[in-house]
Amino acid sequence: MSRVTGSRPSELPMRVQDNNRMSMVYTTPQSKQPSFGKLSIPKPQSVTSERRTSFFGARTSGASMPRNSTMSGFGGTEKIKDARPLHDKSYVQQCIRQLHEFLTEQGFPGTLSAKTLQSPSTKEFVKMFEFIYRQLDPTFEMPNSKVEEEVPAILKALRYPFVLSKCSMYSVGAPHTWPQALGALMWLIDNAKINWSLSKQELLFSDFCEDSDNIEEGAEYNKLFLDYTAETYSKFMQGDDTFEDEDEAFLTKLKKLYNVDEALLASMEEKHRILSDEVERLEKESQTDRLMTKRMEKVKLQADLKKLQSYRSSLESFKANLENKASEVNDELGNTVSHLESLKHERDELQIILQNQKFTPADVERINREKRELQQTISTLSKSLEDAEQHKWNEEIALAKVKEKAELKLAEYHKLARKLKLLPLSAENACGHDFEIRPYECGPGSMVQHKTQIQMLLRKLISDVEEENSRLANMKLSLEESCEQLNSNILDKSNDLKLLREQIRKLDERLDCDMQELAREEQEWAAEIDSVENHRKLLEKKVNYGYDEAVQHLKAAQQQYHLVLQETNEERRTVANNLASVFTIAANHLSITEKCLEDVHSRVQRICSKAVEEDAAALQNMRETLKSMKSKASSL
């Protein structure tokens, strides 16, 4: 029995498709998908079709042909929608990482970089495609011309379920075409991995073929296969569509034939489950790029450190300016006080000199003039002193205002910190840190240090809050995208539902028409059955009449035989010729009757098997009658 040809020796309609039945029968350990040694025979699917084979063939047409599903072929071929999120940036990045790992592990001869894989050129894509395809076919060579047509043709020959257009090959690195091309490369990588696992599976079951090329060519397998085929075909002819018991028995015999170890299979399945869980866990961990996250955190911390250092330097410069201004004001005030003291001391000395000496009018004039000059100097210095005191007072007022503002801001800071649960030390968000500022409990140096420490803690807290906010924003965006995708899917499904309802309505109309046509054909078949039954009765009547006449002729011939037994050879030859002519006429009549019966049989065979059996019985009776007549004639 050939495994390649799909023809069936029987002309009866197929109740189950050939590919399901043959794929179930010819499944062997060498040709199966890798399942760690487990023999699995798929059960043929039950289809809703006609339960019994009719001699009329298919009712839609007069010819006998395999039955297919009523929905197959309706509406033409439908384009398969790619369910992979190829427009999701995270998924694309994950595919790029997997592609980079595969090419690196397999020794890709070209140069690989993140920039190249983000937007490759057509030449680089063709090199990667050729390298991956050589994992499936080591003898493959990419042609130098028309590669834009060759790559889609190869994918189509490999039964790639989605369409990669020829136009997209001219601009592979474009943002709207690279995700589809990347998806095709990932599908090709999966095929290469499956091919490797199949080769490992062949090595696993290499002990099945020690002395022969294939164990299925042996007598034991052929006997099992023929027994299984005979049992299932007999059940199929009886109207069964599923053969679960036969499948289980066949599977048991195959396991016994191949010496399958159930304990080994169970252990291998457990190992496969554990490895699958581990792979799934590793894939989930690889989806979150921890190195990239730490790098982003490092960049943020470095930026915060630079800002903190610049702020610290500005504070130090501002503090130095204030200290310089305060020292200048103090020096100026000290100089003014010392100058005032010296002037007072000089005035006292002059007063003593004035009291102890006698003055002439010239001296008095000179003294008055000096007095006026001194008064002018005193008034000038008094004014300068008042200006200095006024400036000091203004500086003290400004300092008091700055201090008051600082206290207000400090109170506002403490209020906000309590509201944010940063105060006291045991607050929820304090995390064991002291965020309270005490300006009068420590010196200016420790105050700056404490302020810097609090600012660092606050900046860290702000960065954590911003990261959480960004994460929540990204989650919100992803949820909004998922919602939009779900809405689009709902819209697509509603359109598909409308199309299906329209198809159902058309099928209902078609079913009504077919039912009316079937009713009319049944009426015609009933009339034809009546006519055939009448014709059969007429033929039976004619056959019985011919049989009675032949019996009468036989009796007369027997009487004549006894009377003319002593006649000459000429009379005996004459009687023999007469009998031969009678038998020839009867044989011709019988052959004509057989031809008519065969025609009637071919027509009645499409109506019911019962009529065929009755006609067969009648034909057998006629043949027995002919044999008895021939035997009687020969005995004469």
Side-chain angles (χ1 to χ4, degrees), residues 121-165:
S121 62
T122 303
K123 185 177 180 181
E124 292 170 346
F125 174 78
V126 171
K127 286 183 179 179
M128 290 187 289
F129 181 85
E130 181 181 4
F131 177 77
I132 297 172
Y133 190 75
R134 282 185 179 177
Q135 307 300 321
L136 296 173
D137 185 7
T139 62
F140 173 72
E141 291 291 338
M142 180 66 73
N144 296 326
S145 62
K146 295 183 179 180
V147 293
E148 293 81 5
E149 298 179 359
E150 189 69 22
V151 171
I154 292 174
L155 289 174
K156 187 176 181 181
L158 289 175
R159 299 182 182 272
Y160 181 59
F162 312 111
V163 178
L164 188 64
S165 62

Side-chain angles (χ1 to χ4, degrees), residues 455-556:
Q455 285 179 350
M456 291 179 63
L457 294 174
L458 288 176
R459 289 182 183 279
K460 183 178 179 182
L461 184 61
I462 289 171
S463 64
D464 294 337
V465 172
E466 287 178 352
E467 289 178 359
E468 184 68 17
N469 190 14
S470 63
R471 186 181 66 81
L472 293 176
N474 293 330
M475 186 182 294
K476 180 183 177 182
L477 290 175
S478 63
L479 290 175
E480 288 177 355
E481 291 177 357
S482 301
C483 184
E484 291 177 359
Q485 186 175 4
L486 287 175
N487 291 330
S488 63
N489 292 336
I490 289 171
L491 183 60
D492 295 338
K493 293 300 180 181
S494 62
N495 295 330
D496 295 340
L497 183 61
K498 290 180 182 178
L499 292 176
L500 289 175
R501 287 178 178 174
E502 183 66 22
Q503 292 178 2
I504 289 171
R505 184 183 63 78
K506 291 181 180 179
L507 287 175
D508 290 335
E509 294 177 357
R510 183 177 176 184
L511 181 61
D512 294 335
C513 295
D514 292 339
M515 292 298 293
Q516 294 176 1
E517 184 69 20
L518 288 175
R520 185 179 61 78
E521 288 179 0
E522 285 178 357
Q523 292 178 358
E524 293 177 357
W525 293 339
E528 188 176 358
I529 289 171
D530 294 336
S531 63
V532 170
E533 187 69 20
N534 294 329
H535 185 66
R536 185 183 64 79
K537 290 180 180 179
L538 181 60
L539 288 176
E540 286 180 355
K541 184 177 179 181
K542 288 182 179 180
V543 169
N544 292 330
Y545 177 77
Y547 174 75
D548 295 336
E549 186 178 358
V551 169
Q552 291 178 3
H553 282 297
L554 181 59
K555 289 181 180 180

Side-chain angles (χ1 to χ4, degrees), residues 26 116 150 187 210 312 377 382 445 471 483 523 548 595:
Y26 292 119
T116 303
E150 189 69 22
W187 183 83
E210 296 177 353
R312 179 183 177 182
T377 304
S382 298
R471 186 181 66 81
C483 184
Q523 292 178 358
D548 295 336
K595 289 181 180 180

Side-chain angles (χ1 to χ4, degrees), residues 54 160 222 247 355 404-406 428 439 470 577 585 604:
S54 174
Y160 181 59
N222 290 334
D247 292 343
Q355 291 177 1
E404 185 179 359
K405 290 181 179 179
E428 181 179 355
S470 63
N577 290 331
I585 292 170
V604 173

Side-chain angles (χ1 to χ4, degrees), residues 589-625:
H589 178 71
L590 183 60
S591 63
I592 293 170
T593 304
E594 286 179 352
K595 289 181 180 180
C596 293
L597 288 175
E598 287 176 357
D599 294 337
V600 172
H601 177 72
S602 63
R603 294 173 61 188
V604 173
Q605 188 178 6
R606 300 173 192 157
I607 301 172
C608 61
S609 60
K610 185 176 180 181
V612 174
E613 294 175 357
E614 292 177 357
D615 288 344
L619 183 60
Q620 187 67 25
N621 292 331
M622 291 179 65
R623 288 180 179 175
E624 290 176 359
T625 303

